[in-house]
Amino acid sequence: MLGMATPFPIHGGNMSRPILRTAFCNRVGIEYPVILAGMGPVAGTGEPVATGELVAAVSNAGGLGVLGGVAYSPDALRAEIRKIKSLTDKPFGVDLLLSPNFLVPKSRDAIVPTAPKVEQLPASHRDAIARIAASLDIELLSPPDDSEVLGDWIEPGKSWAGSQIEVLIEEGVPVFASGLGTPAAFADELKANGVTILSLVGTVKAARQVAADGADYVVAQGTEAGGHTGRIGTLALLPQVMDAVAPTPVVAAGGVAGGRALAGVLALGAEAAWCGSAFLVSHEANQPDLQKDRILAAAAEDTIVTRLYSGKTMRNVSNPLIEAWEREGLQALPMGAQGVLIRDLQYSIEQAGRHELLMNAAGQTSGMLTARRPAAAILEEMVAEAAEALDTRLKSRIHVAV
Ligand SMILES: Cc1cc2nc3c(=O)[nH]c(=O)nc-3n(C[C@H](O)[C@H](O)[C@H](O)COP(=O)(O)O)c2cc1C
């Protein structure tokens, strides 16, 4: 019976938790080298996936929870950070995007200066959206104007990301992750306040840049990843990034949703794994069960990289909307403009209750996710399996001598 309770023998003594510790754990003050990816609002609901409950659940289980902070106003971000603090006394982090459009100073007259009006977009693209809507039997509606709501919190002269970083520092958040862009503009201030900086990259060139710009850890994200992703696989990217940025330590991302992959990236030299898809189907993940179930139903080959949603390459569970967009063969517009292009379409899909057409970002590991479970159970199984793979299984299968 004992053996049936958990598929992986527990190490570290009788009934105790397995031991799996790296220098990253010591630096940040956590038990296991597993980081919850700071997943923002790309799950079709317009809300972040990694909110306070999920962050606290992962941190309480011994990993590092990271909030998907990009879309929060400074006040909302502060409230969510305080909620996390009320749910856990363990370390946690916040993920923001630092690409140029999040760094431009705002003014009340031009709230999002880089985003054009829909009338300014190419007719070819607007016509395509109308054709796609008609082919999917969606009546195109326009959402109510939300510029007033945005205008409420924007302090003229401050950038979106800059206002959020101020809150992180004031609230004493121990870890900051930049999902896009470089930490250059904020690195000195963050370090002076004791914040550890993680920066996501998908290429060796970007890895060199963020390491030079002050990242304490470079997160090498392979194409397997859900959400925004690049073209290089984790197995190829990770060692190349490690060589390029040494002695800066590296964290692996993309394709780690179980203990075998966790063991693999630790064996390659990563100090931790940054995991999104694995936790997408957790009870605490903030997305509808319908979307979690689509991920559970998806096979590894059912995800597709598309520029439809943001103008940048993003991996999603495929759906008829993505297929229709790809058939049009158009070049996507830049980030910001592409969002404006599809705004009415996404709003109309939601209004029509056609949830099967909503954005559903997820990675290639979708094919190995089998059940909705508590985040703690996902993390504990991953850690136990990795400890087992690195310890007894490895020694029994491979004979090594140097
Ligand atoms: C639904 C979803 C939302 C995401 N949102 C963000 C985000 O806001 N910021 C970010 O840095 N990465 C985001 N990502 C990417 C993750 O940070 C992470 O790199 C990726 O999930 C790792 O690969 P995996 O999905 O194979 O675990 C998102 C991923 C998913 C699946």
Side-chain angles (χ1 to χ4, degrees):
M1 276 309 282
L2 253 182
M4 290 178 66
T6 166
F8 311 106
I10 304 295
H11 290 257
N14 257 354
M15 300 302 288
S16 69
R17 293 157 68 81
I19 294 170
L20 190 69
R21 182 172 276 277
T22 65
F24 178 80
C25 303
N26 297 338
R27 160 127 189 200
V28 177
I30 57 172
E31 193 179 359
Y32 296 126
V34 177
I35 312 171
L36 163 71
M39 292 182 285
V42 294
T45 57
E47 288 183 31
V49 176
T51 54
E53 285 80 6
L54 180 54
V55 173
V58 171
S59 288
N60 281 330
L64 181 76
V66 176
L67 179 71
V70 57
Y72 289 101
S73 70
D75 285 350
L77 184 59
R78 194 185 301 280
E80 200 66 17
I81 289 169
R82 291 189 176 170
K83 183 177 181 182
I84 296 169
K85 289 178 184 168
S86 75
L87 296 171
T88 183
D89 56 3
K90 300 278 189 337
F92 66 93
V94 173
D95 177 282
L96 302 172
L97 303 187
L98 301 183
S99 50
N101 50 335
F102 291 98
L103 294 175
V104 282
K106 310 288 181 193
S107 74
R108 288 192 195 281
D109 301 330
I111 285 161
V112 187
T114 49
K117 300 241 175 285
V118 71
E119 310 80 64
Q120 297 171 304
L121 302 178
S124 53
H125 286 63
R126 285 184 283 137
D127 292 349
I129 293 297
R131 267 195 306 278
I132 291 170
S135 75
L136 296 169
D137 204 16
I138 299 285
E139 185 195 349
L140 275 180
L141 310 166
S142 292
D145 183 14
D146 60 2
S147 55
E148 282 303 305
V149 180
L150 279 174
D152 277 351
W153 70 265
I154 288 168
E155 283 187 51
K158 284 192 181 174
S159 71
W160 183 293
S163 314
Q164 293 169 316
I165 295 270
E166 270 179 23
V167 174
L168 257 62
I169 290 173
E170 284 164 14
E171 290 296 319
V173 173
V175 176
F176 164 68
S178 64
L180 281 177
T182 138
F186 307 107
D188 288 346
E189 200 186 353
L190 287 165
K191 281 171 194 276
N193 284 279
V195 183
T196 298
I197 305 172
L198 278 56
S199 289
L200 266 77
V201 298
T203 64
V204 175
K205 189 175 166 211
R208 282 204 183 92
Q209 181 77 56
V210 298
D213 288 347
D216 296 306
Y217 290 85
V218 176
V219 183
Q221 190 215 45
T223 186
E224 297 92 321
H228 286 123
T229 191
R231 287 186 294 147
I232 307 165
T234 304
L235 200 56
L237 184 66
L238 183 57
Q240 294 184 61
V241 166
M242 287 173 58
D243 288 348
V245 303
T248 303
V250 176
V251 169
V256 183
R260 288 166 295 176
L262 174 59
V265 296
L266 293 178
L268 276 172
E271 284 205 8
W274 165 273
C275 308
S277 296
F279 292 106
L280 275 178
V281 295
S282 65
H283 292 327
E284 296 88 346
N286 182 33
Q287 63 174 349
D289 285 348
L290 180 87
Q291 294 203 295
K292 294 180 186 176
D293 290 345
R294 285 185 64 215
I295 295 167
L296 292 173
E301 59 272 29
D302 290 340
T303 66
I304 180 172
V305 174
T306 179
R307 290 181 187 266
L308 165 66
Y309 294 111
S310 69
K312 284 191 179 292
T313 48
M314 183 193 286
R315 187 178 294 285
N316 271 264
V317 177
S318 195
N319 67 41
L321 171 60
I322 297 175
E323 287 162 16
W325 164 261
E326 296 298 328
R327 270 198 304 275
E328 289 284 343
L330 286 171
Q331 194 175 353
L333 301 174
M335 204 176 192
Q338 183 73 11
V340 173
L341 177 70
I342 64 160
R343 197 160 168 248
D344 288 359
L345 182 56
Q346 278 193 296
Y347 176 74
S348 309
I349 286 169
E350 260 172 63
Q351 293 299 304
R354 299 280 298 276
H355 295 134
E356 79 281 8
L357 299 177
L358 283 175
M359 172 160 56
N360 205 168
Q364 291 179 333
T365 54
S366 296
M368 62 186 281
L369 303 174
T370 53
R372 287 193 243 138
R373 292 190 295 162
I378 293 169
L379 185 132
E380 279 158 17
E381 184 179 282
M382 199 187 285
V383 167
E385 190 183 17
E388 165 70 7
L390 287 168
D391 189 10
T392 40
R393 250 193 266 166
L394 198 60
K395 286 177 194 156
S396 68
R397 283 195 313 110
I398 308 174
H399 298 281
V400 192
V402 283

